[in-house]
Each structure stands twice: as structure tokens, then as C-alpha cells.
Amino acid sequence: MDTIGSNAQDLKASNRMLVLKIIATHYGLSRTQLASITGLSKMSISNIVSELISSDYISEFENQKEATSSGRKPLSLKLSEHSPCICGMLIERDFLQIALGDLSGTLILPPVNVPLDSNVLSSDEVIQYLYQAFVTLKDSTSRNIIAIGISSIGPLDSKNGLILRPPFFHNIEIMPIISEMTKLTEIPTYLMNESNAGALAEKLYGDASSVANFLYLHITNGIGAGVVLDNKLYDGEFGQNGGLGHTSINFAGPRCECGNAGCLELYANIKQLRYRIQELKYLYPGSPLTPLSAPSWIQILDAANTKDTLAILALDQFSTYIAQAITNTLNILDLSTIIIDYPFNVPGSIMEDLLAQKLAILRPQPFYHSIKVQKSTFIGKASLIGSISIVADKIFHFELPLCFS
Ligand SMILES: [Zn+2]
């Protein structure tokens, strides 16, 4: 039976982890600021900080930015350059990315990128690519690697560590990624779909860290979503949630390969955007998109940001589809904020603005509160930072023990 009481040791460990988390997620705090944020006494903070310094989790430095008028530079705290790190792995359809990061979600070495060529790969080959990159990074650092977090395309079963036949992914059936990687590396390994991992990165390290309830929307070839409820990532029973792209916006629509009909992804995708542009371009001969046979995402967004009507019309339809799907979610979950992430750095805020407008129409005031729509803090990198966040979050919640000696 689970116990709910706590003794002095539990309390001490809980306060220590709280202080470590706050130092990891707020660079350069002083002891006084830590006491103010945590509500702990200055004496407690001083004891915990000394312990964390002596076990080499954190270090102190003279903060130039906070220098007083007399020139005195107060001591601030940060993660130690010797503190343990986390290996993050990102599995996409056409590439793998492997990185080492610390508890602040900061990469400590440039990531290893492995393009996946068009030859059909086996599950073992993908696992070997990941393992070789892990070995390369491990050999490049003297820091201890605590665990591996894997952020992957879905569908997957995070609880049982299985990637389950993602569409267009080398015809790989079932990849037992956790058991294989644990066998090879002998360190704990965790799996999460990339949308949930991106949401976790935003919650731990991003601008949404103080937002209690939000939807993270990952717009790439497919459309995924991660939900944070009550300050915690909601990852479902088997980690199979987040497939916003496979919610139906038209039950009489075409059959999707997921089995459902009229899925959002069948309408809101780059092919449909291009088709819409082709349909309308004779009306807009001056548009920079008109001469292009297959404009890229960035070209379309660039044009829309400069108020090109053709681009805006195409994106307007795209955001209508997304707003329709999100409205179903918002009507079930009372969320305040939507965060949009893309696989590349997107200029301007046209998509966010269009989506906010569409939602305002579908959810009129005064019946509903307005929804804030903003861009991801880690634009294009949220899924990779998310893979590191998977492990950091487990550490901060005592699901993965740290050694303090
Ligand atoms: Zn579908």
C-alpha cells in the first residue's frame, strides 16, 4: 500500500530537490532570491546550497549583471559544469538527433545528426545509429550520464517502451526501443511521443512554465499535441494521446490510414496548402507564391507575414481546420493558452494571429474566455529539448534517484 505520510528525511529530500530544480530552471539566482521563491528560511537555503555545491550539482559565480553601485558583485548560483547530464534522442521520419543536456535543458555539446536515407532500414539499424551516437557523445564528456530520454514520432506505447509502426517509417513494425537501448547502454531509458515531450520542454524550461493549463501544438508533416493540465503533463494511460491530427473534422470525409475518417491531417497539410495556392493563384499574379510550383512552408509564411493576400488566404483555410479540431479539445479541457511549434524557425506571428482569430469566432465571448496563442520558446528544437526534459522531469519528481554524497 502506498503511504502518504512524510518524515524529516522526506522533507529534507523534497526541499533539496525543489532548490535544485529552481536553480536549474532559473539561471543566476542568489541565495536571498531562492529563499524568497521557495519560502524556505535563509538558514535552510544556506544548508541545502552548501550540500549541492559539495556534491558538485551546482556552483556559484560573481554575477556581473547584478553588480551594486559600489562595484560589489553578488554571488549567484548555477548548475555545475560537472553536474550529471542527460542523453536526449529524437526520432523523426527522416533523421535522428542525439544530444547531451544538463538539468537546465541546455545542450552541453553540439547534437549528433543522423540523416536517415531512403533505403529501407530495419529496427536494429535505427537502434544501432542511436547507440553509436550515444557512444560518441559519452566519449566526448567526463560528465556522468544519468539516463536517456527518447522523443519519437508515434504511434507508440510509452509505458511498455514500444514504437508502433509509424506511417512512412521504413516499414518498421514494432520497435522495442527501451529494452534494446537499456540493454546496450545499461542506463535507464524512457520513451515519449514528440508532442508530449515538446509540451514538457515548454512546461519545464519555456515561457509557459508558469501557465497551469495549455495545449502544445506541433505542426510538422503531421499535427500532434501535448496537454499540460494542472501544471503537469497529461500523458494518458499508455502515452498514446496527442494525436490531434487524427481527430476527425469531417465524419463523411476520406478514410485515413489510422482508421478514422476525415482526420485533420488530411486537410491541414502542406500538400493541401499548395493545392489551395494553385487554385487561387490566377487571381493574384503579383504574389511571390504564384511562380512557384511547390512553395515551402517558410516561403508561404514569409509571404503571409508581408501581407501577401494569396498566402494569407491559404493559411486562413489551414488555420480554420486546426481551429475546428482544437475547439473540440478546448470544449472538453478548459485551457488558457495554445503554444505552436514548427520544425523550423518561422518568422512573424501570422499563424498564431490567424488561429487566435478563428478561435475567437468559434468560441465567442462572453460564453468563453479568450485563448492566448503563442509561438514555442524552442522553435524547431522543442522535441529535442523535450527528450532531455523527459528525464529531468522524472528526476524532479523523484522517479529517478540522484545520489547526493
Ligand atoms: Zn487519421
Side-chain angles (χ1 to χ4, degrees):
M1 192 176 84
D2 289 342
T3 54
I4 52 171
S6 59
N7 55 41
Q9 279 308 103
D10 294 336
L11 199 60
K12 186 183 169 209
S14 165
N15 286 338
R16 182 174 58 199
M17 189 56 79
L18 176 68
V19 170
L20 179 61
K21 180 183 175 184
I22 291 173
I23 292 171
T25 52
H26 298 74
Y27 179 88
L29 291 179
S30 66
R31 287 170 170 76
T32 310
Q33 287 169 316
L34 264 177
S36 157
I37 292 172
T38 59
L40 294 172
S41 69
K42 285 186 182 168
M43 174 71 90
S44 298
I45 289 291
S46 181
N47 290 338
I48 293 171
V49 164
S50 299
E51 190 188 358
L52 290 173
I53 289 176
S54 68
S55 49
D56 222 356
Y57 280 95
I58 63 169
S59 61
E60 51 192 350
F61 64 101
E62 286 190 342
N63 198 331
Q64 308 287 346
K65 284 189 194 152
E66 306 272 323
T68 60
S69 52
S70 64
R72 197 178 66 82
K73 299 175 192 97
L75 287 175
S76 295
L77 300 161
K78 63 174 183 174
L79 284 179
S80 156
E81 284 163 16
H82 308 289
S83 64
C85 62
I86 296 162
C87 179
M89 298 178 170
L90 173 62
I91 301 178
E92 292 286 0
R93 278 186 179 74
D94 47 0
F95 70 92
L96 308 171
Q97 204 168 29
I98 303 92
L100 289 183
D102 63 15
L103 283 173
S104 73
T106 307
L107 302 190
I108 61 169
L109 287 170
V112 175
N113 294 297
V114 182
L116 297 181
D117 57 33
S118 49
N119 295 332
V120 175
L121 297 169
S122 68
S123 174
D124 284 348
E125 284 169 314
V126 172
I127 288 168
Q128 272 305 319
Y129 280 140
L130 291 167
Y131 176 60
Q132 291 308 325
F134 168 82
V135 171
T136 304
L137 289 171
K138 188 172 188 285
D139 291 345
S140 312
T141 183
S142 56
R143 292 167 75 161
N144 177 36
I145 302 175
I146 310 167
I148 299 171
I150 302 176
S151 159
S152 172
I153 48 172
L156 52 78
D157 175 344
S158 64
K159 301 286 186 291
N160 293 301
L162 306 171
I163 297 176
L164 304 169
R165 199 165 62 87
F168 313 111
F169 189 59
H170 299 277
N171 297 328
I172 290 173
E173 286 291 319
I174 291 181
M175 190 192 285
I177 184 94
I178 296 301
S179 59
E180 291 298 316
M181 201 53 72
T182 310
K183 213 181 335 171
L184 288 165
T185 61
E186 298 180 331
I187 60 174
T189 304
Y190 303 93
L191 174 67
M192 191 178 273
N193 82 52
E194 60 175 335
S195 300
N196 279 348
L200 198 50
E202 292 292 342
K203 182 62 201 164
L204 265 184
Y205 305 122
D207 295 338
S209 59
S210 59
V211 181
N213 301 289
F214 68 83
L215 178 75
Y216 163 88
L217 200 58
H218 186 59
I219 300 180
T220 169
N221 294 329
I223 297 173
V227 181
V228 167
L229 293 176
D230 259 347
N231 288 307
K232 218 172 169 305
L233 176 77
Y234 175 73
D235 64 350
E237 192 68 32
F238 302 104
Q240 295 192 312
N241 62 320
L244 186 76
H246 293 287
T247 52
S248 179
I249 56 169
N250 179 10
F251 70 88
R255 186 67 57 187
C256 177
E257 79 168 73
C258 74
N260 200 352
C263 287
L264 171 66
E265 273 184 25
L266 300 174
Y267 299 89
N269 61 48
I270 184 73
K271 255 167 88 176
Q272 290 298 325
L273 258 179
R274 288 174 183 150
Y275 182 70
R276 182 78 175 145
I277 290 165
Q278 291 297 326
E279 246 180 2
L280 296 174
K281 71 183 192 183
Y282 76 97
L283 291 170
Y284 303 94
S287 166
L289 301 179
T290 298
L292 307 175
S293 59
S296 67
W297 256 111
I298 296 223
Q299 285 169 322
I300 298 168
L301 288 162
D302 263 344
N305 277 314
T306 57
K307 308 257 185 290
D308 177 69
T309 311
L310 178 57
I312 290 173
L313 282 175
L315 287 176
D316 186 78
Q317 188 189 52
F318 183 92
S319 48
T320 300
Y321 294 142
I322 292 184
Q324 200 70 55
I326 291 177
T327 299
N328 293 334
T329 307
L330 294 177
N331 285 341
I332 298 171
L333 308 170
D334 185 21
L335 309 171
S336 69
T337 305
I338 292 167
I339 294 165
I340 308 189
D341 187 36
Y342 311 86
F344 37 73
N345 200 351
V346 175
S349 61
I350 187 76
M351 268 301 295
E352 293 76 55
D353 298 344
L354 283 171
L355 194 56
Q357 284 168 23
K358 297 291 165 193
L359 288 172
I361 295 166
L362 293 171
R363 298 168 52 82
Q365 289 179 355
F367 302 110
Y368 300 100
H369 60 76
S370 66
I371 303 283
K372 195 171 172 194
V373 184
Q374 64 192 57
K375 204 182 278 186
S376 162
T377 319
F378 308 104
I379 204 83
K381 296 195 190 92
S383 301
L384 181 65
I385 305 293
S387 64
I388 289 160
S389 311
I390 299 167
V391 176
D393 192 57
K394 291 205 176 287
I395 290 170
F396 295 145
H397 286 96
F398 293 101
E399 290 171 43
L400 188 59
L402 282 185
C403 173
F404 296 92
S405 55

